[in-house]
Amino acid sequence: MKSQVLKNGFFPWMTALMLLISGAAWAADSVDFKQSPEVSGTQEGSIRMPKQQEKMALNYVNQPPMIPHSVDGYQVTTNTNRCLQCHGVEHYRTTGAPRISPTHFMDSDGKVLSGVAPRRYFCLQCHVPQTDAPAIIENTFTPSKGFGQ
């Protein structure tokens, strides 16, 4: 009787597990990274994110670095942050992207957190895609001495 109960409980679970594993393997094989806007244009066999332009010089001390690629379609919500898929500490080595700064793991009291601090999670509040477009509004801004060159 005990053997029958084990068989009846064991085989359905094993079948479900095998289906889950084979489904995950099939899904991973069908992912075409060349169709992703974040990695299109990469070398065959590489997942490195290409810069679409060289980094522009910063204009003042502690200026947040500008983004040298398009962020069209990037999702940054309370549940997901597309930027961290390349720049996060788990992935930056394989993607070739600069690692997120250690300052992004400190809360407002200076306490170091295990994850990105909430006040630093929404990247596009400080980091903007760079462009050499003319200024929309005329201004007299000049970079700090030694910057912007």
Side-chain angles (χ1 to χ4, degrees), residues 109-124:
D109 297 324
K111 180 181 175 189
V112 177
L113 308 172
S114 61
V116 177
R119 68 188 188 132
R120 297 287 185 102
Y121 182 80
F122 294 96
C123 309
L124 299 175

Side-chain angles (χ1 to χ4, degrees), residues 2 17 20 22 24 45 61 70 73 75-77 86 90-91 99 107 111-112 114-115 117 119 130-132 136 142 145:
K2 189 175 184 181
L17 180 62
L20 181 69
S22 64
V61 177
S70 173
Q75 186 176 19
V76 180
T77 67
C86 291
E90 303 88 10
H91 307 289
R99 180 182 50 83
D107 67 9
K111 180 181 175 189
V112 177
S114 61
R119 68 188 188 132
Q130 64 188 25
T131 181
D132 59 358
I136 296 171
T142 56
K145 187 176 182 177

Side-chain angles (χ1 to χ4, degrees), residues 40-104:
S40 58
T42 58
Q43 299 282 333
E44 187 67 29
S46 173
I47 306 178
R48 295 177 64 89
M49 167 88 157
K51 287 186 219 170
Q52 293 165 339
Q53 50 187 299
E54 291 302 314
K55 289 182 182 178
M56 295 174 84
L58 301 180
N59 292 308
Y60 55 89
V61 177
N62 292 329
Q63 175 184 348
M66 292 182 283
I67 305 168
H69 58 81
S70 173
V71 293
D72 289 347
Y74 276 38
Q75 186 176 19
V76 180
T77 67
T78 54
N79 296 325
T80 185
N81 184 327
R82 174 59 188 91
C83 302
L84 295 177
Q85 290 179 7
C86 291
H87 296 276
V89 294
E90 303 88 10
H91 307 289
Y92 78 96
R93 286 187 180 107
T94 57
T95 62
R99 180 182 50 83
I100 186 173
S101 169
T103 60
H104 288 56

